[in-house]
Amino acid sequence: MTGPLAGLHVVEIANEISGSYAAKLFVDLGAEVTKIEPPAGDALRRWGPFPGGVPDPQRSGLFAYLNAGKRCVTVNLTQPAGLTEARELIAAAHVLIEDFVPGTLDRWALGPDDLGRLNPNLVLIRISGFGQRGPWRHRPVTPLTAQAASGWISARDPDRPPVQVGARISEYVAGGYAALGALTALRMPPTGRVREVDVSQVEALLSTLPYPMLMARRMQHLGLPANLRSAPMLGVVRAADGWVGINCLTGQHWLDVCAMLGLPEYGEHQIAIMMGGPERDEFFGKAEPVLSQQTVEEIVELAQALRIPAAPVNDGATVLDCPQYAERGFFVQSGGPGWSFRRPGPPFRFSKTPVPQPGPASPLGMSPGPWAADARPLCTTEGPLPFAGLRVLDLTTFWAGAYLTCYLGAFGADIVKIESIQRPDGHRYSGAFAYEGDDWYERSPIWQGTNLNKRDLTLDLTSPRGLDIARRLAADADVVVENFSPRVVEQFGLDYDALASLNPDVIAVRMPGYGLQGPWRDYVGWALNFEQTSGMSAATGYPDGPPCNPQGPADPIVGVHAAVALLAALEHRRRTGEGQLIEIAQIEVAACVAAEPVIEYSMTGVVPPRRGNRQRGYLQGVYPTADDGGWVALSLPDDGHLDHDVFDELVTGWTRTQTASAIVKALQEQGIPAEQVITGEQMYDGDLIGGQLDARGYYEEFVHPITGPHRYPGWPFRITPGPARHHRTAPPTLGQHNDEVLAGLGLSADEVASLRADRVIGERPLNA
C-alpha cells in the first residue's frame, strides 16, 4: 500500500462506533488494522442496515463501512488461550484502540501496566463517556445523555422538547479525536512505558461547539440573556421539490437575499427578523410563497450566482445524486459477494500517497495470525511537545482551518497567522458588537477560542510587498494551511504548485468547502451549508417537523480530520523527505460522519425518517422538569415490551414534578443514564459537568490583552506521559506580532515603518 502510514500496525478492541471509526481512519491512511471481535461478533454486525432488510451479521452495512480493509479476527478474551492470542497481536502493534467502559481492559489483564510489560512503546487509545479519570469516570452514559451533558441537544421549537443531533453523528466525533490523539502521541519520544491517550466522549462533543461557555459569560457581562441565540437566516425552508438551506453570514448576504426574493424593504430589519417576533412572521409570510414556486436547484443556482451561501438539504437518497459528490466520485461501492451498497469514501485526499480503496472486512469467525510485516520505528521529536520546531503559515479564516492551527500551536508548532487590516478574519466579528468601543473587533469569544497559541501578522496580499512577504514565509514553512474557496489563494499565487516551486517539501493543507474540483468548486459556503449538503441536517429534527441544522460541529470536525491527515503526511515526509498537497473537502468530511442514512437508502431503498430523540435499542427521550426551562435526558434498554409513547407519557408525568438535579441523582444512583440538558452558562458549573471538567483540567485560564482573563476549553483527551497543558499562549490581537515576525525575516525598523505607513501592515482595521 502507498498510504502515508503504510507499515503502521493498529489493534482495535471496540464495540462502538467511536473506536471503530478511529481505526477506520488509520485504514484510510494506509495502516494495517486488526480488529478483535468476540465469538458472537461485533454488536454492529447485528445493527444493520441489511440488504432488503433481512438481518445477516455478514452483511451489515454500517459494520462494513466502519471496518472495510480491516483484518477481523475472533478472540475470546475471557479465556486464557484468547488472551494469549490478543497479547501476541498487541506485542507487535504500535497502537491499541479500545472504547469500553473504564476498567474493562484491566479485568482482562490488559491494563496499562500489563501492556507495558508486553509492549512498552505502545500507544493506548482509551475512549469512554467521561474519560478514565475524574469523579464521573464510572458514570453510566449513552449517546443521548452524552449529548445532553455537552450542550449538543438544542431547543428547536419552544413548544416541544429540545432535540438531539441525529444519524449517530455524535458517536463519530470521539473517534476522530482519538485518531488525532494517537498520531500526536506517536510523534513523541519513547519513555519506556505505555503512552495512554484518555479520550472523553462528552468533552469531544463539547469541543465541537462554538464556545457557548465563553459566549454566555460575555452576554452576561453585557447585561444580555446568557444563551441568547438568533436563528440563522433564512435557515432551512421549503422549495417546490424539497428543502433548501439559505444561510446568511453577513449583512450583505441578507441584503442580497431580500433582493433575490423581491423583498428589499426588509433589508434594514435583519436583526429584528433573526430574533423572532412579528417582523419574522411577516417576512416569512411573504418569502415562503416565493420559494415554494422554485425548485431546490433553481434556488441554489440563483443564490450562488449572487454569492449567497445556499445549499440543498440532502437526505440519504438525494445526496447520492448531488452533482458535486457525483463528479468527484466520493461515494464508492462496497460490500461483498452477492451484495453491495454505496458508502462515503475517505475524508481526505493526498497528492503523493493515495490509498487504494480498501476491500471488505473479514467475515466473522476468522482466526488470528501474524502481522503481514514487521513493525518499524516511528518518528520522534526532541523535547516534551510533539510539534516543536514545526513552522506553519496560517492563511485560514473563520473556524475549520483555524481550529487545526490552534491545535498545532498548542503542542509546540510556531503558527504565523495572516490577516489584513483591509479584511481581518471574519470570525473576529462573531459575537462582537461595534457599540463596545474602538477595540470591539478584539472582543469575539468565538475568534479567541480558536486562535490561541498563534502569532498574528497583518499583510495586505493585494500589494506586491505584502505578497512577497507571504511568499518568503511560505518558503520557510513546513506547512501552509488555508480554507478559503479555491480561487482566493490561487489568485494570489499561493496554491500548492506555486508553494512547491518556493519550497519543494512543503505540505499544503487546503480545506475548501466543496473541494478543489467539481461543478460547485467556487460555491460559497460555511458550516450550515456543509451540514445541509452532507445529510447531517436531514437526519436532525422532529419526525413530523423540518430538517434542523446541528448548528456548529461541522467546522471543528473538519479541523480534526485535517489534523489527522496532516500528521500522517508529516510522517511520510519524515521517511521520504517528500511534501504534498492534502485536500479536505468539508462536505466530504461531513458526509463521512453522517454515513448511515445513505448506506441504508443504498441497501434498502428506504429514506430513514428523522427520529427526534429516539434511537433503536433504547427507551429514551428528553423530558420536562419542575425547573423553569429545565430538561433531562434519560435512556433505558428497550426490551421490546413497552410502547415508546406510553413510556414517554409515564416518564413525563414523573419528571415534571421533580427538579432536574433530583431526577438525575435518583436515576444515576440506580445506574440509569440520565443528564440535565445544559446550556452555555452551565458549562463552568461545578454542580454539573464543570466538576468533571475541572478535575480533568479541561479549562485553562489566559489573560487576553483587551478582554482580560478567560477560561478557555482545551482538547478532549489527555496524553500520559505527555504535555501538561492544553494551550501555550493567549489569543493575539490584530497585528500583535508584526514587528517580531518581520524582524525575524530580516526587515529593518525603517522597512517595517514604511510597510505600516503604506498600510501593508497595521494593528487596526481600516474600517474600525
Side-chain angles (χ1 to χ4, degrees), residues 181-207:
L183 288 168
T184 302
L186 284 168
R187 289 182 59 86
M188 302 173 69
T191 63
R193 57 180 284 199
V194 168
R195 196 177 300 276
E196 182 180 351
V197 182
D198 174 10
V199 184
S200 161
Q201 293 171 325
V202 168
E203 289 174 19
L205 299 185
L206 186 59
S207 295

Side-chain angles (χ1 to χ4, degrees), residues 39 43 60 126 161 181 244-245 311 333 357 380 502 505 509 513 519 525 606 717 748:
S60 168
R126 314 191 75 175
V244 64
Q333 288 293 131
Q357 181 179 332
T380 60
L502 299 169
D505 63 352
V509 183
V606 175
F717 50 76
S748 68

Side-chain angles (χ1 to χ4, degrees), residues 41 288 570 711:
E288 288 171 347
L570 285 168
R711 297 177 69 203

Side-chain angles (χ1 to χ4, degrees), residues 579-644:
Q580 62 181 311
L581 168 65
I582 303 171
E583 179 189 359
I584 313 288
Q586 297 189 42
I587 61 165
E588 294 179 352
V589 174
C592 283
V593 302
E596 192 169 355
V598 69
I599 293 172
E600 182 168 350
Y601 175 78
S602 177
M603 297 183 78
T604 68
V606 175
V607 176
R610 284 178 288 282
R611 298 182 59 82
N613 288 316
R614 296 185 179 182
Q615 180 174 310
R616 178 156 48 101
Y618 294 103
L619 291 167
Q620 65 176 32
V622 175
Y623 303 100
T625 72
D627 300 325
D628 184 22
W631 299 85
V632 293
L634 62 91
S635 300
L636 287 171
D638 182 6
D639 59 9
H641 296 301
L642 181 59
D643 179 85
H644 208 308

Side-chain angles (χ1 to χ4, degrees), residues 491-504:
Q491 73 185 10
F492 289 129
L494 293 172
D495 57 290
Y496 174 67
D497 290 339
L499 293 171
S501 68
L502 299 169
N503 182 354

Side-chain angles (χ1 to χ4, degrees), residues 163-176:
V163 71
Q164 67 178 339
V165 176
R168 303 186 69 173
I169 293 164
S170 67
E171 298 175 54
Y172 290 81
V173 174

